[in-house]
Amino acid sequence: MKALITGASSGIGRDMAKNLARRGYDLVLVARDKNRLESLKEEILKYNSIKIDLISIDLAIEENCKDLYKTVPDVDILINNAGFGDCGNFTNTDLNKELKMIHTNIIAYHILMKLYLIDMKAKNSGIILNVASIAGFMPGPLMSTYYSTKAYIVRISESIREELKKEKSKVQISILCPGPVDTNFNKVANVKFQMREAKSQKVADYAINKMLKKKFYIIPGIDVKLAIFFSRFIPSKWIAKITYKVQKRKLKN
């Protein structure tokens, strides 16, 4: 059994790789940082006798996503995890960074999911886990692009799930929707969370466990579950006001 994980060099992706290695899965680990990938491979192989392939590419480039599929044409699990955010007023944030975010957080997910899903449907087996966020369920002023990218992942995953159900396919799709997690995300997004952050390894272990139990919505933490639940009943304009205040507090000075 083989699992491909994007954004595998740090955070949740790194810790999901460790979890799957303990379960005996061969791994294809994808990220930009080759040195971190090498360090992760060395760490995993100290305790696990599995095959690990490392691919250092930038998934913000569309052709790299297509080349990745050509290089690794057959996997049992695809984990779309690569992504980053940014914080600030929409007219003040960097356009080029936002476009790269859209390519990484949406287009890379879309390309890989589509290409691998076609193969999985043909053999009628396989799992896709898309890492979304609590942000995918609500408006996100001061992080508008990031929240919007995660909303795309939530909606397209929900839509594909229904298609698979109607076709009676055995292919599984799941979405991981955590709240704040203690990862490198904060540094890249230029934010400092004021609320409690979940531990990356704990979120990763929870995600893999629920994924293998065929859960679609994977939501770690009762506080995050409640936030998503109540967001369905509160008008978006109110949620936007609340979110704005939260984002304002966590902007780094």
Side-chain angles (χ1 to χ4, degrees), residues 28-40:
V28 181
L29 306 180
V30 182
R32 290 180 300 166
D33 194 321
K34 185 176 181 179
N35 291 333
R36 284 189 175 185
L37 287 176
E38 292 283 2
S39 296
L40 176 59

Side-chain angles (χ1 to χ4, degrees), residues 32-163:
R32 290 180 300 166
D33 194 321
K34 185 176 181 179
N35 291 333
R36 284 189 175 185
L37 287 176
E38 292 283 2
S39 296
L40 176 59
K41 180 177 180 178
E42 291 177 10
E43 181 181 353
I44 291 175
L45 291 180
K46 287 179 181 177
Y47 309 102
N48 305 275
S49 298
I50 59 171
K51 181 181 179 182
I52 301 178
D53 293 320
L54 306 180
I55 300 179
S56 176
I57 55 172
D58 185 354
L59 293 177
I61 301 170
E62 291 182 29
E63 287 305 314
N64 285 351
C65 300
K66 297 173 184 176
D67 289 342
L68 173 59
Y69 168 74
K70 292 175 185 176
T71 303
V72 189
D74 184 36
V75 299
D76 300 288
I77 299 175
L78 166 66
I79 299 180
N80 274 319
N81 171 68
F84 65 95
D86 195 17
C87 195
N89 191 290
F90 182 71
T91 55
N92 296 335
T93 47
D94 182 79
L95 176 59
N96 290 329
K97 185 176 182 180
E98 287 173 329
L99 291 176
K100 188 166 187 177
M101 189 193 313
I102 290 168
H103 277 81
T104 305
N105 295 15
I106 293 180
I107 295 176
Y109 278 53
H110 190 109
I111 293 172
L112 295 176
M113 182 165 49
K114 191 176 190 74
L115 294 176
Y116 282 108
L117 183 57
I118 291 170
D119 291 345
M120 289 178 178
K121 285 177 65 176
K123 63 183 182 181
N124 202 27
S125 68
I127 300 172
I128 295 175
L129 173 62
N130 289 326
V131 177
S133 167
I134 184 179
F137 295 89
M138 57 191 69
L142 298 182
M143 290 189 76
S144 55
T145 303
Y146 175 75
Y147 272 59
S148 299
T149 64
K150 292 306 179 181
Y152 181 91
I153 299 307
V154 169
R155 292 306 182 210
I156 195 170
S157 300
E158 290 173 333
S159 301
I160 292 169
R161 175 184 62 157
E162 186 62 20
E163 291 178 3

